[in-house]
Amino acid sequence: MVVKRPQVAVAVLVPVLVMFGIGLWGIDRGGMWRDEAVTFQVARRSLPQIWQLLHSVDAVHGLYYLLMHPVLAVHPGEVALRLPSLCAAAATAGLVAALGARLARPRVGLWAGLLYAVTPMAGHFAQEGRSYALVAAGVAASTLLLARAVTADADGDGGGGQGGSGGGGRGGDQEDAPVGRLARHARVVGWCAYGGVVAVTVLLHEFAVLVLIAHAATLALARMPRRVWRDWACAAGAVLLVLLPLALISSGQAEQVAWLRPPGGGTVERLLRSFTGPTMLVLGPYLLLIALALRHPFTPPARRGELSVPTVALPLLLLPPAVLIVVSRHWPLYDDRYVLYALAGAPLLAAAGAERLVLAARRAGLARCETEGLMRGSGGAPDSAPDSDPALVRGVRVPYAATLVGVLAITLAFVSQLPVLREDRDPARRPDNLAVVSAAAAQRMSPGDPVLFLPSLGRRSALAYPKGFQGTRDIALEEPAPVSGTLYGRETGPDELRRRLAGLDRVWVVAEPYALKSAWFPSEPTERVKLTVVGEEFVPRAEFVRKGSILRLYVRRAPTM
């Protein structure tokens, strides 16, 4: 976006810096959790190894792994792992601000961008080594490009086909033809840019395709002409063609989302609090401002075909989560991180509601000033005093005072949510901390000790932090993960595993908590052998328990007489 006014530049830059600062705070929290560990170990493989993996698992994240490959090749570490997400979150805050400034005015953009930056959900995924923050940036960028493409479509209508009626003659045709070609070129470039960004975004995560439903609703609410619909349909069709191969491949890898469950009764409320604020001190005013922005949600724009904040933000906020939740009632696919990109609609609507408050207050102030002026005029008093300008309040211009008041209110919302943001920087807030498991292994295991991972995905701690397991023997492993084209390696068969365990007097087991419960019955024969042999021939001697992982030493049972 070309910034033409200093106010717009400030409105975009300030949220970018604020989001970057919030995301940078505590980004090196001292441990990766399981999903980040997958990114870390897969992106560090060679490109042929990554390509081999995607044929069997994680195709939906393939482009993200390829993008992260050169990042982690420079300096593999937790900060480098999360830095692309941080930059994407900062860019999203700026894009939300740019969208608000384009659809309304710079201060609306500034408020919207800052609201996005201080939302705990945005800060959370700014520190995740996964693709969701990048997807949110792509959706925000595509929405801004949609607004620009619609404008270019309107400006390019009939530019070159109009002759010089009324005396223009042939000379008018020659003069207008280049202008028409330039307008058509701008329109084509605008829609190609829109389609390209959406295509890359859906390749980062295929559920981002739901943004096309939101954008279609935007065009419908704005009563766009048929020409705009035609151009948008061409771009959307190209996106779907790009997505089709990935959708076919990932449908064959549906077991990756088998852990998801149908959304419950509290799903909508939890998502609402994530999008606005977890505390009532923030949630209440936030919802009030959104209600003000939607007081006349379907009022036609000032001119047919014009976009407004509600027509853009409301479909983005509601439709992708609603569609995914409804589908998940029958085919569980919903998780709040999959619709992180819809968050951008909430701050835009809240900022638009705040703008309505400011305009209402200003109209009331103008009416009061006019009334006082009439009263002074009727009494013969002069009404040309310097402080009689209704645009001034004690020497400060109302627009700037209102902007500062809005920024102050957002600062108070940020301060009230500081405890939430601080807690989110604690590694214990994630499902697990693989660094702690590796550190415990380093303290308790000795070189040559046999290790059994139950199930095989428990090996992720050793893959993410191999130093803690250095020198130990992975009893069940047949082929390492990078070579085998799998996430966690290929294990030996059940008979061979029995033979290997038969010669051991002690074995360390790194287990998922559910794997040690009697209700768990694995389908893989090798996993069943692990459970059977360890349970029948060994007894636990020592244990280290950490959220998400259990490290337990087993010793062979004494022979019975």
Side-chain angles (χ1 to χ4, degrees):
M1 176 180 179
V2 179
V3 177
K4 298 181 179 179
R5 294 183 297 169
Q7 298 95 325
V8 178
V10 172
V12 172
L13 184 60
V14 170
V16 170
L17 296 176
V18 171
M19 182 75 258
F20 195 85
I22 293 174
L24 196 61
W25 166 37
I27 193 171
D28 185 10
R29 57 180 176 267
M32 292 181 285
W33 71 288
R34 63 189 70 168
D35 282 10
E36 288 185 312
V38 171
T39 300
F40 187 72
Q41 60 106 349
V42 170
R44 293 170 63 205
R45 300 181 186 183
S46 68
L47 292 179
Q49 289 174 340
I50 295 176
W51 184 251
Q52 180 188 7
L53 171 74
L54 300 181
H55 286 78
S56 58
V57 68
D58 254 4
V60 69
H61 298 296
L63 178 59
Y64 177 64
Y65 293 149
L66 294 174
L67 293 176
M68 290 298 296
H69 177 75
V71 174
L72 294 178
V74 174
H75 181 71
E78 291 182 33
V79 175
L81 173 69
R82 297 167 186 145
L83 194 58
S85 293
L86 171 59
C87 294
T92 305
L95 290 165
V96 170
L99 194 56
R102 184 180 187 91
L103 298 175
R105 59 178 61 192
R107 71 179 173 209
V108 173
L110 174 65
W111 293 339
L114 288 175
L115 277 172
Y116 184 92
V118 303
T119 303
M121 187 180 191
H124 176 90
F125 286 100
Q127 297 187 343
E128 285 280 291
R130 297 299 275 175
S131 63
Y132 308 111
L134 279 72
V135 172
V139 168
S142 67
T143 306
L144 180 60
L145 288 171
L146 176 71
R148 296 184 64 180
V150 166
T151 302
D153 229 339
D155 293 343
D157 183 25
Q162 300 296 329
S165 61
R170 181 181 179 125
D173 289 339
Q174 291 176 345
E175 183 178 352
D176 290 344
V179 177
R181 285 196 296 269
L182 288 174
R184 286 193 297 272
H185 176 73
R187 187 185 69 186
V188 172
V189 169
W191 285 111
C192 287
Y194 166 78
V197 171
V198 177
V200 172
T201 304
V202 299
L203 290 179
L204 282 171
H205 199 280
E206 57 187 339
F207 288 169
V209 73
L210 297 176
V211 76
L212 292 177
I213 300 176
H215 289 170
T218 291
L219 299 183
L221 291 175
R223 303 180 303 150
M224 287 295 168
R226 187 174 301 174
R227 180 191 63 258
V228 174
W229 278 100
R230 183 186 65 243
D231 292 342
W232 175 84
C234 291
V239 169
L240 295 177
L241 286 176
V242 169
L243 178 62
L244 182 60
L246 175 61
L248 292 175
I249 296 173
S250 61
S251 64
Q253 302 173 1
E255 66 275 3
Q256 289 185 261
V257 292
W259 59 273
L260 291 172
R261 295 293 177 266
T267 299
V268 174
E269 180 183 354
R270 286 194 299 271
L271 186 64
L272 176 64
R273 289 182 177 272
S274 298
F275 277 5
T276 56
T279 63
M280 286 303 300
L281 187 63
V282 176
L283 179 62
Y286 212 122
L287 294 179
L288 177 61
L289 291 176
I290 290 178
L292 286 174
L294 299 176
R295 188 177 57 182
H296 302 293
F298 301 111
T299 299
R303 183 165 60 89
R304 178 184 176 89
E306 280 189 353
L307 296 179
S308 64
V309 172
T311 59
V312 172
L314 184 61
L316 179 60
L317 175 65
L318 294 183
L319 292 182
V323 171
L324 197 57
I325 288 174
V326 170
V327 170
S328 297
R329 300 291 293 179
H330 307 283
W331 183 18
L333 294 173
Y334 173 81
D335 191 85
D336 57 359
R337 53 187 162 173
Y338 298 159
V339 292
L340 169 68
Y341 58 85
L343 166 62
L348 283 167
L349 288 172
E355 178 68 10
R356 279 197 168 183
L357 275 181
V358 171
L359 294 178
R362 189 175 185 186
R363 283 194 296 267
L366 286 171
R368 182 164 56 86
C369 289
E370 289 176 359
T371 302
E372 291 176 355
L374 289 174
M375 293 177 64
R376 285 196 300 267
S378 63
D383 58 356
S384 58
D387 60 350
S388 63
D389 185 356
L392 294 173
V393 177
R394 296 185 181 275
V396 180
R397 288 199 172 272
V398 171
Y400 296 107
T403 302
L404 293 175
V405 170
V407 172
L408 177 61
I410 296 170
T411 303
L412 293 176
F414 170 69
V415 171
S416 71
Q417 296 181 129
L418 265 177
V420 179
L421 291 163
R422 189 180 296 112
E423 288 178 5
D424 194 59
R425 270 73 186 160
D426 185 354
R429 299 289 294 181
R430 265 61 179 182
D432 52 22
N433 186 345
L434 303 184
V436 173
V437 178
S438 179
Q443 292 175 359
R444 291 162 174 80
M445 296 181 187
S446 302
D449 279 356
V451 183
L452 192 65
F453 294 96
L454 184 66
S456 61
L457 58 81
R459 196 172 281 107
R460 53 193 166 203
S461 55
L463 292 170
Y465 296 97
K467 186 178 293 186
F469 295 87
Q470 191 170 5
T472 61
R473 291 184 295 147
D474 191 337
I475 293 299
L477 186 64
E478 180 72 18
E479 195 173 24
V483 178
S484 64
T486 62
L487 285 177
Y488 307 112
R490 182 172 290 111
E491 296 191 329
T492 187
D495 295 335
E496 173 63 18
L497 181 58
R498 281 184 182 274
R499 189 190 66 78
R500 294 181 183 182
L501 288 172
L504 300 178
D505 292 327
R506 62 201 302 266
V507 61
W508 286 96
V509 173
V510 180
E512 298 293 296
Y514 66 83
L516 297 179
K517 296 180 180 179
S518 58
W520 185 61
F521 185 80
S523 58
E524 296 82 0
T526 299
E527 302 291 358
R528 292 198 297 270
V529 167
K530 294 178 188 178
L531 282 176
T532 302
V533 174
V534 170
E536 294 178 354
E537 302 181 16
F538 293 82
V539 293
R541 174 64 59 85
E543 183 177 83
F544 171 79
V545 179
R546 181 69 179 181
K547 179 183 178 182
S549 296
I550 296 175
L551 182 63
R552 184 180 291 177
L553 174 63
Y554 282 86
V555 297
R556 186 168 291 279
R557 293 178 184 271
T560 57
M561 298 301 294

